[in-house]
């Protein structure tokens, strides 16, 4: 069995953590093959019959990728008693099992506990599914992905102190001992023929995070934290609340300097299945001042009233006029910054897109709500636009929003 440099990186990373291992890379870097080699050798040494899982979004992904690679690694032949074609499982001599399954149906994530998991092409799977899988994983969780854009793995997993992240490109897919390429000349030539496509080359050639087209807020900056106390006097502190239940409820803290048109966004709360009472209690627990300037979704007057009553807040209904697009246009005139410790806001910023005409491919002047990544974005908009925005009126001239 030949091993690449990426295999060595994988082994070293696994030795440095018992919880999360993230393997980011470009096309044909050998990251999936190396992880499967590592798992094959690791599971073979288990002193008890462990349960291990390899997961992808769809079964065709598994069949053409991870399963095909694993069969080569394990030397599986036709009618091999170790491999169950119907169950997609491999049984090791020590009784350990490696199972392969897809999560096309979310309920596939609701199963018995396992010892380890490898999530293949993690960027294609929703966080809600991963959350369920991790709840049922006792030990090491390994992820690999092409960095098409920032997503939940970057904000929720790689930010953890017990996560080790490795990076690879097609140039790392060489024999670790001899340096001999493990890709053919034709494969390398085909990859390098894409150098002229800047977007493709960045992600699949260099293995660097790509830029998503059609983002509503493409220029948001990630900053370490809120401005230092010495600068705070020039900022007004606002809060925005977007109510949800099955969808997340988002509470965003906004520090805004209207003179410089600068606004910081900081995540206070982002959770589903909260009652209004629980929301009020959590806002208190997380330090939202009772006398703060807070704007909530004007379409939820009952929720505003109950949270105010329970928590002693003074949440005011936001202004949603004129259109969302016009409100967004106002906000895009600001320099927007989000703190590094706000994973859900960061995820939404990097996923919140304009709607696109399916026939022409043209971007429309309406944010895409169907993508379900607008909760923090709405909360921020309620606060910033309601407090500082302008609405049409007064004979066509713009007038500042009148406050209560």
């Amino acid at each position: 069995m030949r091993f690449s440099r990426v295999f060595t990186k994988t082994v070293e990373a696994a030795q440095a953590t018992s919880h999360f291992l993230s393997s980011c890379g470009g096309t044909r870097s050998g990251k999936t093959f190396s992880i499967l080699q590592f798992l094959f050798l690791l599971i073979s040494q288990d002193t008890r019959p462990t349960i291990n899982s390899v997961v992808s979004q769809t079964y065709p992904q598994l069949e053409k990728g991870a399963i095909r690679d694993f069969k080569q690694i394990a030397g599986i032949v036709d009618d091999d008693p170790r491999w169950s074609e119907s169950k997609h499982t491999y049984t090791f001599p020590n009784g350990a099992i490696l199972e392969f399954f897809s999560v096309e149906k979310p309920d596939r994530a609701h199963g018995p506990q396992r010892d380890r998991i490898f999530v293949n092409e993690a960027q294609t799977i929703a966080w809600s599914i991963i959350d369920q899988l991790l709840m049922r994983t006792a030990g090491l969780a390994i992820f690999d992905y092409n960095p098409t854009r920032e997503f939940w793995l970057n904000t929720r997993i790689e930010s953890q102190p017990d996560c080790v992240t490795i990076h690879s490109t097609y140039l790392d897919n060489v024999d670790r001992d001899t340096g001999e390429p493990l890709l053919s000349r034709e494969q390398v030539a085909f990859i390098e023929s894409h150098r002229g496509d800047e977007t493709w080359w960045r992600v699949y050639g260099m293995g660097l995070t790509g830029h998503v087209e059609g983002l509503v807020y493409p220029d948001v900056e990630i900053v370490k934290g809120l401005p230092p106390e010495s600068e705070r006097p020039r900022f007004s502190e606002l809060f925005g609340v977007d109510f949800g239940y099955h969808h997340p409820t988002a509470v965003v803290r906004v520090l805004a300097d209207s003179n410089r048109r600068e606004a910081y966004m900081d995540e206070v709360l982002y959770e589903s299945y909260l009652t209004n009472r629980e929301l009020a209690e959590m806002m208190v627990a997380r330090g939202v001042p009772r006398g703060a300037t807070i704007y909530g979704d004007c379409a939820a007057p009952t929720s505003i009233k109950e949270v105010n009553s329970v928590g002693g807040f003074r949440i005011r209904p936001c202004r949603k006029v004129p259109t969302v697009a016009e409100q967004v246009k106002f906000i895009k005139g600001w320099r927007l910054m989000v703190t590094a410790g706000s994973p859900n806001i960061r995820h939404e910023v990097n996923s919140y897109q304009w709607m696109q005409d399916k026939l022409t491919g043209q971007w429309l002047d309406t944010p895409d709500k169907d993508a379900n990544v607008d909760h923090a974005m709405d909360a921020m908009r309620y606060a910033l636009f309601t407090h500082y925005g302008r609405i049409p009126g007064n004979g066509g001239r713009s007038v500042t929003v009148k406050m209560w």
Side-chain angles (χ1 to χ4, degrees):
M1 189 182 297
R2 300 181 73 183
F3 301 100
S4 72
R5 289 177 184 167
V6 182
F7 174 81
T8 301
K9 290 183 179 183
T10 303
V11 173
E12 291 173 349
Q15 291 172 341
T17 182
S18 59
H19 201 182
F20 296 129
L21 192 165
S22 176
S23 184
C24 166
T27 188
R28 304 298 298 170
S29 71
K31 53 189 178 296
T32 299
F33 197 87
S34 295
I35 291 169
L36 291 169
Q37 284 181 312
F38 167 70
L39 285 175
F40 178 76
L41 297 174
L42 181 66
I43 297 169
S44 297
Q45 299 172 19
D46 285 341
T47 57
R48 61 180 179 84
T50 57
I51 303 295
N52 307 269
S53 303
V54 177
V55 182
S56 282
Q57 172 64 24
T58 67
Y59 183 71
Q61 268 181 287
L62 279 173
E63 188 174 36
K64 295 177 182 179
I67 289 178
R68 181 183 294 176
D69 286 346
F70 182 77
K71 285 182 175 181
Q72 178 183 340
I73 292 165
I76 297 172
V77 296
D78 291 342
D79 300 321
D80 194 316
R82 299 171 297 176
W83 175 256
S84 170
E85 196 64 52
S86 60
K87 296 181 180 178
H88 315 305
T89 59
Y90 180 87
T91 303
F92 289 77
N94 58 10
I97 292 175
L98 181 62
E99 60 179 2
F100 295 78
F101 65 90
S102 65
V103 287
E104 293 158 291
K105 297 180 179 180
D107 59 2
R108 294 295 303 276
H110 298 259
Q113 181 166 297
R114 65 186 62 81
D115 294 279
R116 307 181 187 97
I117 191 169
F118 167 32
V119 181
N120 177 228
E121 298 188 29
Q123 76 277 9
T124 65
I125 305 176
W127 167 251
S128 58
I129 293 174
I130 297 297
D131 194 29
Q132 293 297 323
L133 292 170
L134 293 181
M135 285 182 189
R136 294 163 174 80
T137 303
L140 183 64
I142 305 176
F143 309 86
D144 75 358
Y145 67 99
N146 295 124
T148 52
R149 63 180 178 183
E150 187 178 70
F151 68 116
W152 54 260
L153 185 58
N154 309 118
T155 55
R156 293 178 179 270
I157 303 297
E158 291 182 346
S159 60
Q160 300 293 323
D162 52 358
C163 178
V164 177
T165 302
I166 60 177
H167 177 268
S168 59
T169 73
Y170 71 101
L171 296 174
D172 294 299
N173 200 354
V174 298
D175 189 290
R176 66 174 181 178
D177 298 316
T178 67
E180 179 184 353
L182 298 178
L183 297 175
S184 68
R185 291 182 179 178
E186 291 76 14
Q187 287 174 311
V188 172
F190 180 75
I191 293 171
E192 294 185 342
S193 70
H194 290 77
R195 284 182 180 272
D197 185 337
E198 183 179 349
T199 301
W200 190 98
W201 183 251
R202 177 179 175 83
V203 175
Y204 298 102
M206 301 299 293
L208 303 175
T209 304
H211 303 298
V212 182
E213 293 184 358
L215 287 179
V216 175
Y217 302 115
D219 301 317
V220 174
E221 302 170 40
I222 307 299
V223 295
K224 289 184 177 180
L226 295 172
E229 291 295 333
S230 60
E231 295 185 25
R232 293 292 175 88
R234 68 183 175 90
F235 290 93
S236 296
E237 184 179 62
L238 314 171
F239 292 86
V241 182
D242 185 55
F243 298 98
Y245 187 72
H246 296 292
H247 289 172
T249 292
V251 180
V252 176
R253 182 187 187 189
V254 178
L255 292 188
D257 180 342
S258 60
N259 293 321
R260 299 187 185 184
R261 291 291 181 106
E262 294 179 352
Y264 286 79
M265 292 179 278
D266 190 50
E267 188 172 311
V268 176
L269 187 149
Y270 194 96
E271 292 193 30
S272 298
Y273 309 113
L274 293 179
T275 64
N276 290 327
R277 175 171 290 277
E278 290 170 332
L279 170 59
E281 292 170 350
M282 290 184 73
M283 287 174 64
V284 171
R286 298 190 182 187
V288 179
R290 286 187 168 88
T293 301
I294 310 173
Y295 300 101
D297 187 349
C298 62
T302 302
S303 294
I304 289 176
K305 183 176 180 180
E306 186 172 352
V307 172
N308 283 344
S309 176
V310 173
F313 296 110
R314 294 186 296 174
I315 301 175
R316 303 170 179 181
C318 71
R319 293 291 184 97
K320 286 188 175 180
V321 291
T323 66
V324 172
E326 289 174 277
Q327 295 173 49
V328 167
K329 183 178 180 180
F330 166 77
I331 291 171
K332 284 169 70 68
W334 289 60
R335 177 190 176 195
L336 299 177
M337 292 161 279
V338 57
T339 59
S342 301
N344 295 292
I345 301 179
R346 289 175 58 185
H347 171 66
E348 288 199 4
V349 162
N350 286 285
S351 305
Y352 190 42
Q353 294 173 280
W354 298 105
M355 290 186 68
Q356 191 172 26
D357 188 289
K358 294 181 180 179
L359 294 178
T360 66
Q362 291 183 328
W363 299 104
L364 306 177
D365 288 336
T366 305
D368 185 2
K369 292 190 69 67
D370 293 338
N372 194 31
V373 288
D374 59 354
H375 314 294
M377 295 297 92
D378 283 353
M380 176 272 292
R381 176 167 55 85
Y382 299 159
L384 202 56
F385 181 79
T386 304
H387 201 77
Y388 294 110
R390 304 173 74 84
I391 60 175
N394 195 23
R397 297 192 300 272
S398 294
V399 296
T400 304
V401 174
K402 183 179 180 180
M403 301 312 300
W404 296 263

